[in-house]
Structures are given as C-alpha cells and as structure tokens.
Amino acid sequence: MGNAEKLLQKAEKLLQKQKFDSAFEIYLKLHEVEPGNEAVLLNLADLSLRLGRADDSLRFNSLLADLYIGRKDIPKAIVSCRKVLKATPHDISVLAKLALLLKQSGKKVDAADAFRNVAAAYRRNGNPGQAIESLRHLADLEPDNLEAHAELAELSAEAGKTTPAATAFLKAAEIARKNGMEDRWANMAERAHQLDPANKVGCVAAAEVYLVRNQPRESAALLEPISKSAPDDTVVLKLLCRAYLDSGEYTKAEPVCQKLFKAQPE
C-alpha cells in the first residue's frame, strides 16, 4: 500500500469521526503529493467551508475550476466558478472564465450577461484589450445588438485597432439602418470609412451616405476606383449612376446606365 493510499484511508476515518481539522491537514498532505486529484480537492473545498476557512475554500474551488477547464468538463467548471464568485463576486478573471464556459455550453443569455459585466469591469480597471475581447464575445452572442457593436467599435478605435474598429462600425451601421436609425447609420458608416479607407465595404457605405447628404461628387470619387476593380458589381454601378446623374455628369452616367441596363434589364 502506497503512502498516498494510507493517507487517504486515514483522512476518511477522521471524516467518519467528524475530526474535520485533522482530516483537513491530511488532505493537505495528499494535495502536495497529488495536486490534480479531484477527490482530494473536493474534500479540501468542503472542509474549508465547514471550518470557516474562506480563503482556503476560495483557493480550492479555483483549483477545481482550472482542473475541470483543463479536462473540458464544462458543467463542473461552471459550478466551481459560481462557487468562487459567490465568495468574491468581483473577481474579473473568474467571471471571464465563467462567461466563456457559459458560451461554450450554449447558455447564450447567461453568457452575454457575464461578458457584459466582464467588459464593464475591464473598462473600469483600465484594461481595454481584455474589454475589447469580452465585447467581441458579446457581439458574437448578440449579433443584432446595436450598442454592443457600437461599443466594440468605439473601444477598438480608442485602442488604435482601426481595421477591426471599422468592421464593427459597419456592422453597427447595418443594424442601425435596419432599425430605421438613419442618422446613426450615416455617422457610423462614415466613421468606418475614415478609420479604414481601404475597406471596400466601408467605401461603398460612405459613398451612399454622401448621396443621402447631397454630395454626389464626393460619392463618385469613392466609387470610381471600386468600379474599375469590380466592373460587374451592380450595387456599385447603381450608386455610381446615381452619383453621376445627381451631379449632372450625364456623359459619365450614360455608359454606366447602359451597363446596368444590360446586367439588370428589369
């Protein structure tokens, strides 16, 4: 019989006799020998709670959470994280782990709430990188949430991440327009183009904004190079045709209109 097995038997006998202090000490020795032993950690977490050792309870539940995460045992990991957060509700790192676990388990509503709280906490603590990552998860969980995409865009722009910021602004602009919020659509589409002028989708969106604002020449200037590189893009052709007609450049408009007519005679 090995030393670890002897210690385990001794600890179990002490538990039966309700000698919890002594059992706790034996389980501590076992933990040194087998730090990844789930049963030992569970007993240590339980005994810590019985003995009023709050710090130890927190420590062993945290170790259990990491153990379950490593094993990809998501349900048990969620339970352990919740136990830790019950004792320390403002532990951002554990809340972030819980949010990811909830997302992986398909609990979208709970995961979104958790990521929302994590993002806010990281922002308060001046950690924009982690806040952006949390907002990405939130936007993924709530694809039609305008404010989530807008906040992701703003924070990414503040952090100098211009390309992902532009992408987020474009998504937010799309949602705003779908909901009839024309002013917000225009402002965010223009922001996207300003941040990433090379983004084709952003250029087209900005060109449409300029048409709405009665700036057809500015619109045409954005659309012309796109039309040359993608001559069969009917969305671009329609906008470019409008831009030329609105600016009175009928000579330029005619071949574009003819091309558009051939592509879509209806």
Side-chain angles (χ1 to χ4, degrees):
M1 184 182 293
N3 186 48
E5 194 172 345
K6 288 179 183 178
L7 286 171
L8 185 59
Q9 288 185 358
K10 186 176 180 180
E12 287 172 352
K13 287 178 182 177
L14 289 167
L15 280 178
Q16 290 170 5
K17 295 176 181 178
Q18 295 191 351
K19 294 184 178 181
F20 300 127
D21 280 312
S22 299
F24 182 80
E25 295 303 322
I26 299 299
Y27 278 117
L28 276 179
K29 289 179 182 177
L30 274 165
H31 176 58
E32 290 175 6
V33 177
E34 298 180 357
N37 188 313
E38 179 185 356
V40 171
L41 285 171
L42 283 167
N43 276 295
L44 283 168
D46 180 58
L47 287 167
S48 299
L49 196 61
R50 282 177 178 270
L51 297 168
R53 303 176 68 140
D55 289 344
D56 284 326
S57 175
L58 190 63
R59 172 189 167 204
F60 293 119
N61 275 308
S62 295
L63 289 172
L64 276 167
D66 289 337
L67 177 71
Y68 293 138
I69 289 169
R71 290 182 183 176
K72 300 189 186 308
D73 190 337
I74 294 175
K76 286 185 178 180
I78 288 173
V79 171
S80 294
C81 284
R82 289 196 189 281
K83 285 180 179 179
V84 173
L85 289 168
K86 190 174 181 180
T88 56
H90 302 297
D91 190 322
I92 308 175
S93 63
V94 177
L95 184 56
K97 287 178 185 176
L98 177 61
L100 194 56
L101 289 165
L102 290 167
K103 184 182 180 183
Q104 291 170 350
S105 66
K107 300 179 186 294
K108 291 186 176 182
V109 174
D110 289 344
D113 286 340
F115 276 121
R116 195 175 284 107
N117 291 332
V118 171
Y122 277 133
R123 290 197 75 167
R124 284 195 302 271
N125 289 0
N127 193 333
Q130 295 292 346
I132 288 169
E133 187 61 27
S134 299
L135 287 169
R136 281 201 192 103
H137 283 292
L138 177 58
D140 182 47
L141 287 161
E142 297 184 344
D144 296 322
N145 184 333
L146 171 59
E147 301 311 327
H149 290 280
E151 188 178 0
L152 173 59
E154 291 288 358
L155 195 55
S156 299
E158 288 173 18
K161 300 178 183 294
T162 54
T163 300
T167 301
F169 270 124
L170 286 169
K171 179 60 180 176
E174 178 188 327
I175 298 167
R177 195 170 207 193
K178 196 183 295 182
N179 289 304
M181 304 165 73
E182 291 294 309
D183 286 344
R184 289 197 75 181
W185 159 72
N187 289 333
M188 288 188 284
E190 191 172 28
R191 284 286 302 280
H193 174 60
Q194 290 168 349
L195 284 165
D196 188 5
N199 185 316
K200 177 190 169 183
V201 176
C203 282
V204 173
E208 192 169 0
V209 170
Y210 290 146
L211 283 174
V212 171
R213 291 177 178 170
N214 198 27
Q215 297 174 268
R217 293 185 186 279
E218 288 82 349
S219 179
L222 289 178
L223 295 166
E224 284 170 345
I226 299 174
S227 180
K228 288 178 182 176
S229 62
D232 298 320
D233 189 322
T234 54
V235 172
V236 174
L237 287 173
K238 286 177 184 178
L239 292 173
L240 186 57
C241 189
R242 279 179 55 195
Y244 285 148
L245 290 170
D246 289 355
S247 59
E249 297 192 62
Y250 304 122
T251 303
K252 288 184 177 181
E254 185 178 358
V256 179
C257 290
Q258 288 176 343
K259 190 169 187 179
L260 189 58
F261 175 71
K262 288 178 182 177
Q264 295 184 341
E266 70 279 6

